[in-house]
Amino acid sequence: MLQNTGKLRGCTLFITGASRGIGKAIALKAARDGANIVIAAKTAEPHPKLPGTIYSAAKEVEEAGGQALACIVDIRDEQQVEDAVQKAIERFGGIDILVNNASAISLTGTLETPLKRVDLMLGINLRGTYLTSKLVLPHLLKSRSPHILNLSPPLNLNPIWFKNHTAYTMAKYGMSMCVLGMAEEFRGQVAVNALWPKTAIQTAAMEMLGGEGVSKQCRTVDIMADAAYAVLSRGTDFTGNFLVDEDVLRQQGVQDFEQYAVQPGHPLLPDFFLDDAPETLVEKMEQHGATPAFRPPTSSATPLSGGPIENTFDAIKAVINEDVIKMTQGIYQFDLSGENAGVWFLDLKSGSGGAGPGQPPVKADVIMTMDSADFTKMFAGQLKPTMAFMGGKLRIKGDMALALKLEKLMGRMNKAKL
């Protein structure tokens, strides 16, 4: 781990979304220097699925050696942000560093993303970052070493990073555009930079997105905390940079990155937005067992009879019973590409159920798009749907919970083979 140097002692950091995850890790790293931390986040009461509150985070900050101010803040609300900034000034006398960490994510296509979700992502990622920066900047301009650090990616305009989740990419890139503009606007006065992880990071959000087993493909939040600390320890002349955590730490002399792995030695899941060119991304994704998002489109033709897909559906039919249908209550459509391309359906909702080639008899609750070889692996127990989704091998349209219920069906199939 990167050693603390004491450079942030006495500095006041205003960190959005600091009740858990990367935001809290950055807060604790700075607290070990004796920094003052404003924890600006929404979670005041324990969440049934997410760890931590602003108050539990504040306690950890103080135990680590810092001073903490917990503020209930929805960064979409101008008054709440303004109130938190004023409380920070009253408590600590100023603000030296702003970390725009709060973010919302939905990896869904244009037709699958409700406008309410679009508004949420734009409201938090783009507008919230801009608003918080605008309200904190007058105080940063009075600091001797002011910084803004946005946790956002390089502005990579490769279309593959838009095609599957246009709304999320627009919202996240909005944070990066704030870096691009404000770094130049306040050059020589305030350092403004962006930081992004090279690999997936183990957070509650990642576990919700990736499901069971994704953690071993991640690094811990400590790598982002160490990288942020290195950036925030520099002078204001270091500005306008789009940084990657591993690159920052290599420049600091760190060579052992296994120390940051959740499971040392396990292949890591690359994070979004970091490819240099489509062919480079293909190579990187395939090294980690993923299927690139820009493969040829799936075929809508009726599949040929025989072969591994038909055999898989024969095995599926063998385990369909009243209990499975009652437990699942879903109709699935599989749009398969690759060697055994075609459309298949699985009815675990109507009557005694059914499965076979072609479109389902009624509208599907879930449409799953993937390569036929990965489909076979999935139902053979060699690839979990959650892992296929996180690795880019599976696209899901419709009810995600129903998609994950397939794991139980797969478990029955594999028991039947024993």
Side-chain angles (χ1 to χ4, degrees):
M1 303 294 175
L2 191 68
Q3 295 298 310
N4 279 62
T5 62
K7 287 187 177 180
L8 300 186
R9 183 177 293 112
C11 290
T12 297
L13 287 76
F14 191 105
I15 307 177
T16 66
S19 59
R20 62 179 67 91
I22 295 171
K24 187 180 80 170
I26 293 173
L28 293 175
K29 183 71 176 179
R32 296 184 190 106
D33 267 5
N36 308 315
I37 310 296
V38 182
I39 300 165
K42 293 193 299 181
T43 308
E45 299 294 332
H47 190 282
K49 294 183 179 180
L50 299 173
T53 67
I54 56 174
Y55 304 112
S56 63
K59 182 180 178 182
E60 290 184 59
V61 163
E62 294 183 343
E63 289 172 349
Q67 295 295 313
L69 174 63
C71 296
I72 301 173
V73 179
D74 181 340
I75 62 170
R76 294 171 294 175
D77 187 317
E78 183 175 0
Q79 190 61 54
Q80 287 187 24
V81 177
E82 192 169 347
D83 289 347
V85 170
Q86 187 58 40
K87 288 177 183 177
I89 301 305
E90 292 172 359
R91 172 75 181 275
F92 300 121
I95 299 174
D96 303 289
I97 295 168
L98 168 62
V99 179
N100 285 307
N101 165 72
S103 185
I105 182 172
S106 180
L107 300 177
T108 47
T110 301
L111 298 180
E112 294 77 50
T113 310
L115 278 179
K116 184 177 180 180
R117 176 65 61 173
V118 175
D119 291 341
L120 177 70
M121 290 189 286
L122 291 173
I124 294 176
N125 302 1
L126 170 54
R127 186 179 182 277
T129 295
Y130 184 90
L131 170 62
T132 307
S133 301
K134 177 180 173 63
L135 295 179
V136 172
L137 267 163
H139 305 286
L140 294 179
L141 290 168
K142 299 175 185 178
S143 171
R144 285 184 292 180
S145 185
H147 282 263
I148 294 176
L149 183 65
N150 291 358
L151 299 192
S152 62
L155 288 166
N156 184 345
L157 297 183
N158 187 330
I160 62 166
W161 294 123
F162 291 82
K163 65 173 288 188
N164 296 325
H165 39 74
T166 298
Y168 172 65
T169 300
M170 289 193 307
K172 203 65 186 176
Y173 279 14
M175 296 178 71
S176 301
M177 292 174 75
C178 286
V179 171
L180 192 66
M182 292 179 191
E184 194 62 31
E185 182 178 0
F186 297 99
R187 185 172 296 277
Q189 298 174 287
V190 179
V192 185
N193 294 290
L195 180 65
W196 192 246
K198 184 172 183 177
T199 73
I201 302 295
Q202 183 190 35
T203 61
M206 176 58 69
E207 289 173 0
M208 289 179 69
L209 286 169
E212 184 182 357
V214 74
S215 291
K216 63 185 178 182
Q217 300 183 62
C218 298
R219 284 174 171 164
T220 67
V221 292
D222 293 327
I223 189 169
M224 285 292 283
D226 281 0
Y229 181 85
V231 175
L232 298 174
S233 297
R234 300 192 61 163
T236 54
D237 58 336
F238 186 72
T239 190
N241 300 290
F242 291 89
L243 306 161
V244 174
D245 57 357
E246 185 174 312
D247 297 339
V248 170
L249 293 176
R250 286 191 187 280
Q251 291 174 2
Q252 295 293 316
V254 177
Q255 296 179 343
D256 176 18
F257 289 91
E258 286 295 291
Q259 64 182 316
Y260 296 111
V262 172
Q263 184 174 316
H266 195 283
L268 297 168
L269 188 66
D271 209 339
F272 287 3
F273 307 120
L274 295 182
D275 62 296
D276 299 318
E279 57 271 17
T280 306
L281 181 63
V282 169
E283 181 180 344
K284 287 180 180 178
M285 294 183 75
E286 289 181 341
Q287 284 174 355
H288 292 269
T291 301
F294 45 89
R295 287 298 189 198
T298 59
S299 170
S300 60
T302 300
L304 297 173
S305 61
I309 304 302
E310 185 172 11
N311 293 339
T312 298
F313 271 89
D314 287 342
I316 292 172
K317 292 175 185 177
V319 298
I320 294 177
N321 57 37
E322 185 176 336
D323 289 339
V324 171
I325 294 170
K326 185 176 180 181
M327 173 188 73
T328 310
Q329 286 296 290
I331 297 176
Y332 303 82
Q333 178 178 317
F334 302 94
D335 291 350
L336 306 181
S337 59
E339 186 176 353
N340 296 282
V343 177
W344 295 76
F345 78 92
L346 174 59
D347 183 352
L348 297 177
K349 188 176 187 179
S350 310
S352 57
Q359 302 275 345
V362 296
K363 183 181 179 180
D365 298 305
V366 184
I367 299 176
M368 306 176 78
T369 303
M370 63 193 312
D371 187 271
S372 55
D374 291 326
F375 174 86
T376 303
K377 289 179 184 177
M378 199 167 72
F379 278 91
Q382 300 168 4
L383 179 66
K384 288 187 176 182
T386 49
M387 293 298 97
F389 177 73
M390 286 303 301
K393 295 184 175 187
L394 170 64
R395 290 185 63 193
I396 298 172
K397 178 181 178 181
D399 191 327
M400 181 69 75
L402 277 177
L404 297 181
K405 281 187 178 182
L406 280 181
E407 288 192 12
K408 294 183 179 180
L409 177 63
M410 294 166 194
R412 285 175 176 257
M413 290 176 60
N414 292 318
K415 285 180 182 178
K417 295 176 184 176
L418 300 177

